[in-house]
Amino acid sequence: MIQTILALMKKELYQVIRDRNMLRLIFISPIIQLLVLGYAINTDVKKIDTAVYDFDRSSLSREYIKAKTAGDYFVISSENPTVLDAELGFKENLYTAALIIPNDFSENFTKKKPVEVGLLIDGSNANSASITSGYAEMIAMQFNRRQLAIPEPIVMRQQMLYNPESESVYFMVPGIVAVLITMITAMLSSMAIVREREIGTLEQLMVTPITVPALIIGKTIPFAILGFLEMSIALLFGVLWFGIPFAGSWTLLYGLTFIYLFTTLGVGLFISTVTQTQQQAMFYTWFFSIFAILTSGFFSPIVNMPEAVQYITYLNPLRYYMIIVRGIMMKGATVEALYPEIIAMIIFGIVIFTSSWLRYSKRVS
């Protein structure tokens, strides 16, 4: 069986190498998308999850917190948590900003002395971080005018985490990597089997001693290899061209990508069982990719989507993989911080790949 699988893998790889259009799709398209999307996309920011550390605990500090949350910008997700857990909260995406009010806030404020209020911002998304900073400064200025009728007695001291240069490309490129590996592996695996059916070689394979498991494994492993190659090219291009720092573990990223490939290859295998031509397979894969991209948080934060759509995003495996890629690359997140997304990916991989395997086996029978 191993020799059969290796022969099928060799055959698939040879077909890809001989197809110039496929080679362009695999190797040139990712670089173009990295260049275009890495520089072109910006998003609006609302409902910023914020942790509040109020060491003053006075009526004035509470009024200042109320002023921060009066609009549709800052949402208090955690109030007076443990300071030592601040970094963990950022890595686990519990909040994207942390407001720190010193214990001498009200005393200095009433004496018209400068007051330094701390604001930690998750700088992974440079665009969101910059807008968050602008919102905070604007609200502080309005609070100053209301209370003292003098400009800026509060001085906001900020620290940009994970992306101190405020480069939006640092946020976009990891997302593009996740999108590319989703589209390419699903499309290649769906079109390969349909292509065999179109040219008539699938029926020839069926009359040979090749078993269904060997056929499926031999067909999917080459595209998993190409998926890893695609991801490696995109990552290297992002690191070398855009200068993106890689904060986490390469081994962890590739290991979790291996888990995610069970989902994308399973989707491609399923599409191959419900289509008759390569054009149909490409259309179905494109439809799946559009849904996955738009509901993954790639373009805009999921929290800004309508509530009904937010629930739909839980059915999107790319949502979880997007968090993993960005978390590992930008924040150096570990398994402890990413275990909810890892569990979700494992469940998706088992359910989708097994279902597609069974459906394909039934179709062949």
Side-chain angles (χ1 to χ4, degrees):
M1 181 175 177
I2 295 178
Q3 291 181 346
T4 302
I5 293 174
L6 292 176
L8 287 170
M9 291 173 55
K10 185 177 180 180
K11 168 181 169 296
E12 289 297 326
L13 292 174
Y14 276 156
Q15 285 186 338
V16 172
I17 293 173
R18 288 197 300 263
D19 191 338
R20 293 185 178 181
N21 291 326
M22 190 66 70
L23 289 176
R24 294 190 189 99
L25 175 67
I26 295 173
F27 298 110
I28 299 179
S29 175
I31 296 177
I32 295 175
Q33 292 188 49
L34 279 171
L35 288 172
V36 174
L37 298 179
Y39 287 118
I41 298 176
N42 290 306
T43 58
D44 295 326
V45 178
K46 290 183 179 180
K47 297 181 180 179
I48 304 161
D49 291 324
T50 307
V52 175
Y53 299 85
D54 185 2
F55 297 101
D56 189 57
R57 296 180 181 271
S58 63
S59 58
L60 189 63
S61 66
R62 287 192 292 270
E63 188 173 351
Y64 181 69
I65 295 171
K66 185 178 179 181
K68 286 286 187 185
T69 58
D72 195 29
Y73 301 121
F74 292 92
V75 177
I76 303 300
S77 60
S78 180
E79 192 165 358
N80 294 319
T82 304
V83 177
L84 297 177
D85 294 335
E87 185 177 2
L88 182 61
F90 278 108
K91 289 185 176 180
E92 293 181 347
N93 300 291
L94 299 179
Y95 41 79
T96 55
L99 180 67
I100 305 173
I101 301 176
N103 54 9
D104 58 354
F105 174 86
S106 59
E107 178 182 354
N108 290 338
F109 191 92
T110 54
K111 293 179 180 180
K112 299 184 180 180
K113 294 181 179 180
V115 179
E116 294 185 350
V117 175
L119 182 66
L120 295 176
I121 303 173
D122 183 349
S124 301
N125 186 338
N127 182 66
S128 299
S130 299
I131 295 175
T132 300
S133 176
Y135 291 161
E137 291 180 354
M138 177 186 66
I139 294 172
M141 292 176 61
Q142 293 174 348
F143 184 83
N144 293 335
R145 296 192 189 100
R146 265 197 323 270
Q147 295 294 326
L148 300 175
I150 59 175
E152 301 184 8
I154 298 176
V155 179
M156 185 69 66
R157 297 180 62 87
Q158 303 178 25
Q159 181 180 358
M160 201 77 71
L161 302 179
Y162 311 119
N163 187 5
E165 296 86 1
S166 298
E167 295 285 348
S168 60
V169 69
Y170 289 6
F171 181 76
M172 292 309 306
V173 169
I176 297 171
V177 171
V179 169
L180 287 176
I181 196 170
T182 301
M183 294 181 62
I184 295 298
T185 53
M187 185 174 296
L188 290 178
S189 58
S190 65
M191 293 177 62
I193 298 176
V194 175
R195 183 176 62 247
E196 297 279 7
R197 185 182 298 117
E198 278 188 326
I199 63 180
T201 55
L202 185 62
E203 287 75 10
Q204 297 176 12
L205 288 174
M206 290 300 96
V207 298
T208 64
I210 299 176
T211 61
V212 173
L215 178 61
I216 293 176
I217 295 173
K219 285 285 187 182
T220 55
I221 289 181
F223 303 124
I225 295 173
L226 289 174
F228 279 116
L229 182 60
E230 178 99 4
M231 185 179 74
S232 300
I233 293 173
L235 288 174
L236 289 175
F237 192 81
V239 172
L240 298 178
W241 178 268
F242 292 105
I244 298 175
F246 195 101
S249 168
W250 289 85
T251 303
L252 179 61
L253 178 58
Y254 275 84
L256 296 180
T257 299
F258 175 77
I259 297 175
Y260 180 64
L261 285 177
F262 281 94
T263 298
T264 58
L265 294 174
V267 169
L269 187 62
F270 178 83
I271 291 174
S272 70
T273 65
V274 297
T275 55
Q276 299 297 326
T277 64
Q278 293 185 68
Q279 288 80 6
Q280 292 177 357
M282 183 176 293
F283 174 79
Y284 276 94
T285 306
W286 181 252
F287 177 81
F288 164 77
S289 300
I290 292 298
F291 164 79
I293 293 170
L294 294 179
T295 59
S296 66
F298 174 59
F299 290 107
S300 61
I302 293 176
V303 70
N304 291 346
M305 299 178 185
E307 186 175 358
V309 178
Q310 292 184 35
Y311 287 111
I312 295 175
T313 63
Y314 289 108
L315 301 176
N316 180 10
L318 181 56
R319 166 195 170 129
Y320 308 100
Y321 185 63
M322 187 77 66
I323 294 174
I324 287 173
V325 174
R326 284 173 170 165
I328 293 176
M329 289 187 64
M330 303 193 67
K331 303 179 183 180
T334 59
V335 174
E336 290 76 12
L338 298 172
Y339 76 89
E341 287 75 25
I342 295 174
I343 293 174
M345 280 206 318
I346 292 174
I347 294 173
F348 271 108
I350 293 174
V351 172
I352 293 178
F353 195 81
T354 302
S355 300
S356 301
W357 184 303
L358 294 175
R359 180 174 175 82
Y360 185 79
S361 300
K362 182 179 179 181
R363 177 74 178 267
V364 171
S365 299

